[in-house]
Amino acid sequence: MNKVLFALFFASTAIAQQAPMKLWYDKPAEHFEESLVLGNGKMGATVFGGVSSDKIYLNDITLWSGEPTDPNMNPEAHTYMPMIRAALKANDYKLADSLMRNIQGKYSESFAPLGTLTLNFDDLKSENYYRELSLDEATAMVQFESKENEIVKEYFTSHPDKVFVIKLKAKNKNSLNFNLAFSSLLKYEVSTSPNLLKAHGYAPMESKPSYLGKVENAVQFIEGKGTKFSSLIKVTKTDGQVTQTANTLKVSNASEATILVSIATSFNGFDKNPASEGLDDKAIAKAQLEKAEAKTYAELKNNHIADYQNYYDRVKLDLGQYEGKETPTDKRLRNYADGAKDPYLEALYFQYGRYLLISSSRTSGVPANLQGLWNPYMRPPWSSNYTMNINAEENYWAAETTNLSEFHEPFLSFLANLQKTGEVTAKTFYGARGWTGSHNSDIWAMTNPVGDFGKGTPVWANWAMGGTWASTHLYEHYQFTQDKEWLKNYAYPIMKGAAEFCLDMLVEGPDGTLITSPSTSPENIYLTDKGYKGATLYGATADLAMIKELFNDIIGSAKALNKDAEFVAELEATLSKLHPYKVGHKGNLQEWYHDWEDAEPQHRHQTHLFGLHPGHHITVAETPDLANAAKRTLEIKGDETTGWSKGWRINLWARLLDGNHAYKMYRELLSYVEPDAIRPKGNNKGGTYPNLFDAHPPFQIDGNFGGTAAIAEMLVQSDNDNIYLLPALPNAWQTGSVKGLRTRGGFEIDLSWKKGKLKSVTVYAKGGTKTNVVFQGKSKLINLGNGESLTLEKI
């Protein structure tokens, strides 16, 4: 049943007629940051599109160094907690910093590069070169002319058929001559059989973080241990001849050829030894290949596109006229950085973030990592792990709002793994109940504080709120889906365990309020009134903000489920005693318990603003003084920061309802950054690489996801009872439309606007029934049956 205002029907159906979304270039990629990436949520392919030599990096999101972690690695660590608390109570911060090193364990493991597939062509030249990535179809394509011949190459990774597909076609008969080769940085062997190239190998048992620099035995392989992989590469359709050597395939005199790549690993779960309890990667890869081989190229492509578009097509965004079709994406980005207006590029970046999430987050229990699933390095930046003090969470900020809730699942299911190891970490490192996570994690659900047993500085190694922050995603998912069974049976026990850890970390502070002890504020350093620069303290604002948000989430969950009244009462009593936010002498929101200076006032982290975003308990309407203090904090920090931090700050400015400042920073997020190999030494400004990857620098995918989430925040915000339309619309987007954004309370929104004013909005009930729709201070209460919709001209 549709409740529609018929006068507006045609206006609403015209919402978000989005232009074709594609990245395109007029030359092959030379560097990783210029490449086109494809992924089916497990397998990743990085396409360079070369002419005489076409290099393709291959990844599998389950291929990591190491094996299941022993969370009981430092069983006596908790005995130092009383000493640290005593040092803090005596305000001996130097001693506390020193003692904190005893509460450390191993480093995380690293996401591994599977290998490189290379197609080497005979006698090809290039004129009128064109390379594109279609976000509308999740396909890549290269075409060029070569001596009166025309060459077309198509690439896609299929989720339903679980293969990477390459199709080559030449205009002239018998003109394609090339060989296929595989290489890897891992331990591997290559063999061939008719039409088939086979690679089998295994990942290292240890890969030390790249930030340690050159260290002895940084990468250690042990035969018979570690995660195994299989990569099968087959020429399935060709009118040429296929011959083989010991380790290559040769295709001769062809006018077309189709190549299928099937990949599998032995990873069988975070708690299963991948060597002795692993999956049969050889059999899995073989079965995938045989099933795909039975289908035509057209069937494989149609299956892939239909599967992908089922998710991608849910959201359309139009921010203005589509101009500059003749300008390659890298040149558009350069022009934009020089001040050009380009609403198409702004919408393209938004949709690229959604594309990356669909492509990298479809494996249960294995979230998108620091680089999504695209990594060519043996020791990738920051191990390409799960950095739990912002980056892993930022990867999923856009999942619910941009209508990709299913792709939140890999992260949400990962939390159950963290809970299991985190219970041991809570007990042995902190002497606490419940469970916790720390600064880093990996595919093995590592939860211990890192630092290599005392070698790391507490400023980054000893943060303890990873489980608290991550658990807030569970309630977020419920707010959007209204799935009470999932909340009851899965989410609530995990949230409760995280809250129990928080309760045991709270102590009475100097003023009688409850504070965490010990605590740190992620990667930031304070400067005391006595001149000491340190990291360890009590009552860091970031800790208390996350605890407040989590406790509120659990109270809301328990009331929705009508359960656990006694625990709710305990949380409410604790909240009433929690140390309150404080406004510093500069008008800023204090990051530290005392009104101390920051050693780095422009530091990239702003975790103490968690309550504003991604939390919800600081708002312009309900807590204006705190919102103003948060704004002052951002003003002091300034706008120049790393890529992921820019993404976060845009969201913060959107929550402050300052669309023009949010837009200013969005433009800065799209500042052109040269690929790392040619980036001028010392130029470490965040921005965007030629292929639209986020530049920390180096590449971190979290900035892409943060930027996409920020656009949604600028256009629609929500809580359980209200939907706020165009809350942070910048002057630059005077006219536009968006289709398919999701809101808390269980609704979906289509809206259009003209000259900054609402033109029409359609609200679809997707699990919710009653909500207030708010625009510029005016609100309208709507009540719908599930599946119903309502279109409004004005509020």
Side-chain angles (χ1 to χ4, degrees):
M1 173 182 169
N2 256 352
K3 298 178 181 177
V4 180
L5 301 182
F6 289 98
L8 291 169
F9 179 76
F10 292 103
S12 66
T13 57
I15 279 177
Q17 299 300 309
Q18 180 176 267
M21 292 280 106
K22 63 182 180 181
L23 289 67
W24 76 271
Y25 306 85
D26 57 8
K27 59 183 180 297
E30 292 184 32
H31 306 285
F32 175 60
E33 298 86 359
E34 298 171 324
S35 64
L36 304 178
V37 294
L38 302 163
N40 66 2
K42 186 173 186 291
M43 179 199 309
T46 302
V47 177
F48 283 71
V51 175
S52 60
S53 182
D54 193 356
K55 177 173 61 177
I56 302 166
Y57 295 147
L58 300 174
N59 287 103
D60 186 296
I61 204 166
T62 63
L63 186 61
W64 289 62
S65 64
E67 61 183 9
T69 189
D70 176 11
N72 197 33
M73 65 187 73
N74 192 348
E76 300 304 314
H78 66 95
T79 62
Y80 288 88
M81 284 288 287
M83 288 181 270
I84 296 169
R85 283 174 168 163
L88 289 172
K89 192 172 184 178
N91 297 320
D92 191 341
Y93 304 107
K94 183 176 181 179
L95 176 60
D97 271 337
S98 177
L99 290 169
M100 281 285 272
R101 291 177 181 266
N102 295 285
I103 305 183
Q104 293 179 7
K106 70 182 288 289
Y107 290 121
S108 76
E109 294 301 332
S110 295
F111 178 48
L114 188 141
T116 301
L117 172 64
T118 307
L119 286 71
N120 293 310
F121 294 86
D122 295 346
D123 199 29
L124 281 185
K125 304 297 182 183
S126 172
E127 293 181 3
N128 297 321
Y129 182 94
Y130 178 86
R131 175 170 62 101
E132 79 164 28
L133 173 66
S134 168
L135 303 187
D136 298 324
E137 295 188 347
T139 58
M141 185 265 286
V142 170
Q143 64 182 31
F144 55 88
E145 297 173 4
S146 178
K147 295 181 294 188
E148 299 184 352
N149 197 3
E150 293 179 3
I151 309 295
V152 178
K153 300 187 282 187
E154 298 179 345
Y155 317 78
F156 63 87
T157 50
S158 169
H159 178 76
D161 291 307
K162 304 190 185 330
V163 287
F164 171 45
V165 184
I166 307 169
K167 183 177 182 181
L168 311 173
K169 191 170 184 178
K171 177 183 176 182
N172 298 342
K173 288 185 177 295
N174 307 324
S175 61
L176 278 179
N177 298 279
F178 64 95
N179 66 50
L180 289 161
F182 177 89
S183 62
S184 179
L185 298 174
L186 308 182
K187 298 295 184 182
Y188 74 104
E189 295 179 349
V190 175
S191 61
T192 60
S193 59
N195 290 40
L196 182 64
L197 183 64
K198 298 176 283 189
H200 304 290
Y202 57 94
M205 279 297 291
E206 182 180 23
S207 178
K208 291 181 179 178
S210 59
Y211 52 76
L212 296 180
K214 293 183 179 180
V215 293
E216 189 175 354
N217 298 319
V219 180
Q220 297 186 48
F221 292 90
I222 301 176
E223 189 172 356
K225 290 193 173 185
T227 302
K228 295 178 287 185
F229 75 87
S230 291
S231 182
L232 304 181
I233 303 154
K234 188 164 188 179
V235 181
T236 60
K237 302 284 191 307
T238 184
D239 56 357
Q241 296 79 45
V242 184
T243 56
Q244 65 198 70
T245 68
N247 54 15
T248 65
L249 296 180
K250 174 74 175 178
V251 178
S252 305
N253 303 319
S255 59
E256 65 178 55
T258 299
I259 301 162
L260 302 183
V261 181
S262 175
I263 288 173
T265 78
S266 65
F267 177 75
N268 194 24
F270 79 103
D271 55 354
K272 300 285 196 308
N273 187 300
S276 60
E277 304 173 274
L279 299 175
D280 188 341
D281 55 293
K282 293 181 179 180
I284 295 169
K286 182 173 182 289
Q288 290 173 172
L289 182 62
E290 289 175 347
K291 288 181 181 179
E293 190 180 1
K295 299 178 181 178
T296 67
Y297 175 81
E299 288 172 328
L300 292 171
K301 187 174 181 180
N302 290 339
N303 288 349
H304 156 68
I305 292 174
D307 170 76
Y308 170 77
Q309 289 182 340
N310 180 51
Y311 304 104
Y312 176 81
D313 283 354
R314 293 172 179 174
V315 173
K316 302 292 183 184
L317 176 65
D318 178 12
L319 295 176
Q321 189 172 352
Y322 178 26
E323 298 175 343
K325 300 181 182 67
E326 71 287 350
T327 307
T329 303
D330 55 334
K331 291 184 174 65
R332 293 187 83 118
L333 192 61
R334 286 183 184 272
N335 293 340
Y336 188 80
D338 289 339
K341 294 181 179 180
D342 197 338
Y344 172 79
L345 182 65
E346 293 164 352
L348 182 71
Y349 190 91
F350 168 83
Q351 291 288 30
Y352 187 55
R354 297 183 68 246
Y355 164 81
L356 292 174
L357 189 62
I358 297 170
S359 301
S360 64
S361 186
R362 296 186 79 166
T363 301
S364 188
V366 187
N369 59 54
L370 205 60
Q371 294 181 200
L373 59 66
W374 300 280
N375 166 45
Y377 307 113
M378 191 66 254
R379 295 173 68 197
W382 299 283
S383 302
S384 194
N385 63 17
Y386 303 121
T387 307
M388 302 296 292
N389 69 7
I390 167 61
N391 313 96
E393 290 87 356
E394 187 172 4
N395 279 3
Y396 288 93
W397 286 350
E400 302 293 344
T401 54
T402 73
N403 216 330
L404 296 175
S405 184
E406 297 91 336
F407 301 90
H408 206 172
E409 191 278 339
F411 184 71
L412 300 176
S413 56
F414 179 59
L415 300 189
N417 303 343
L418 293 179
Q419 182 186 29
K420 291 185 175 70
T421 58
E423 287 173 348
V424 180
T425 295
K427 181 179 179 180
T428 58
F429 281 86
Y430 300 101
R433 298 171 299 155
W435 73 277
T436 190
S438 302
H439 175 52
N440 292 137
S441 190
D442 54 25
I443 199 170
W444 313 111
M446 188 194 84
T447 51
N448 58 272
V450 292
D452 197 16
F453 300 93
K455 297 177 184 176
T457 172
V459 69
W460 52 266
N462 284 97
W463 183 70
M465 290 287 129
T468 309
W469 187 338
S471 293
T472 63
H473 278 248
L474 296 164
Y475 191 61
E476 279 282 284
H477 182 69
Y478 165 71
Q479 286 181 301
F480 282 87
T481 64
Q482 299 294 298
D483 187 345
K484 286 188 179 180
E485 285 301 308
W486 176 85
L487 178 67
K488 175 183 177 181
N489 298 322
Y490 179 76
Y492 188 82
I494 296 174
M495 288 192 290
K496 184 174 182 178
E500 288 171 338
F501 172 78
C502 294
L503 288 169
D504 284 2
M505 289 293 286
L506 291 169
V507 301
E508 188 175 291
D511 63 356
T513 60
L514 293 177
I515 57 171
T516 49
S517 180
S519 68
T520 64
S521 193
E523 302 184 46
N524 207 355
I525 297 173
Y526 56 74
L527 180 63
T528 72
D529 52 359
K530 294 180 174 58
Y532 176 72
K533 291 183 179 180
T536 307
L537 73 156
Y538 49 75
T541 300
D543 285 2
L544 302 175
M546 292 174 194
I547 290 171
K548 185 170 185 176
E549 190 74 19
L550 178 62
F551 285 11
N552 286 336
D553 289 351
I554 294 173
I555 292 168
S557 299
K559 290 181 178 178
L561 298 172
N562 193 26
K563 63 175 293 183
D564 228 353
E566 187 175 337
F567 191 61
V568 166
E570 182 181 5
L571 296 185
E572 290 176 334
T574 302
L575 284 171
S576 70
K577 300 175 185 175
L578 204 64
H579 185 68
Y581 285 106
K582 296 289 185 179
V583 177
H585 68 280
K586 296 178 181 179
N588 59 303
L589 195 70
Q590 282 184 202
E591 184 164 1
W592 320 106
Y593 181 89
H594 298 287
D595 192 9
W596 290 332
E597 297 289 339
D598 295 320
E600 299 177 54
Q602 283 75 49
H603 194 268
R604 62 195 176 276
H605 282 263
Q606 49 265 328
T607 321
H608 62 303
L609 304 186
F610 179 92
L612 176 62
H613 183 279
H616 305 279
H617 59 265
I618 295 177
T619 68
V620 171
E622 299 296 327
T623 58
D625 291 342
L626 295 180
N628 285 332
K631 179 180 180 180
R632 181 63 188 139
T633 297
L634 290 173
E635 290 171 345
I636 292 169
K637 282 186 171 291
D639 293 344
E640 186 52 58
T641 186
T642 60
W644 64 260
S645 184
K646 283 182 186 288
W648 190 357
R649 290 184 192 180
I650 301 165
N651 282 276
L652 287 162
W653 281 108
R655 287 279 176 90
L656 289 170
L657 311 183
D658 191 335
N660 288 332
H661 201 120
Y663 177 74
K664 171 188 178 290
M665 288 208 69
Y666 187 64
R667 288 195 64 105
E668 292 171 1
L669 181 65
L670 271 65
S671 296
Y672 184 88
V673 176
E674 296 281 6
D676 289 347
I678 59 174
R679 177 163 45 89
K681 188 175 182 181
N683 183 0
N684 296 315
K685 290 185 177 181
T688 298
Y689 290 117
N691 65 354
L692 300 191
F693 267 169
D694 170 64
H696 175 285
F699 164 50
Q700 286 188 195
I701 204 168
D702 37 36
N704 288 104
F705 296 134
T708 292
I711 297 298
E713 287 290 328
M714 292 162 76
L715 299 178
V716 177
Q717 294 179 22
S718 63
D719 54 40
N720 266 336
D721 302 312
N722 302 282
I723 299 171
Y724 303 95
L725 305 179
L726 307 177
L729 184 71
N731 293 339
W733 297 341
Q734 281 293 294
T735 299
S737 61
V738 67
K739 171 186 178 296
L741 295 182
R742 293 295 298 268
T743 74
R744 295 166 187 84
F747 297 93
E748 186 173 307
I749 297 292
D750 297 348
L751 69 97
S752 63
W753 63 96
K754 187 173 182 179
K755 296 183 179 179
K757 300 296 183 181
L758 184 67
K759 186 177 178 183
S760 70
V761 58
T762 302
V763 182
Y764 302 88
K766 300 283 187 174
T769 57
K770 185 185 296 185
T771 189
N772 277 301
V773 180
V774 183
F775 176 69
Q776 293 185 345
K778 298 179 181 179
S779 66
K780 183 175 182 64
L781 179 65
I782 61 173
N783 199 345
L784 300 172
N786 195 25
E788 292 184 341
S789 64
L790 175 66
T791 299
L792 302 169
E793 180 180 18
K794 59 184 179 179
I795 306 302

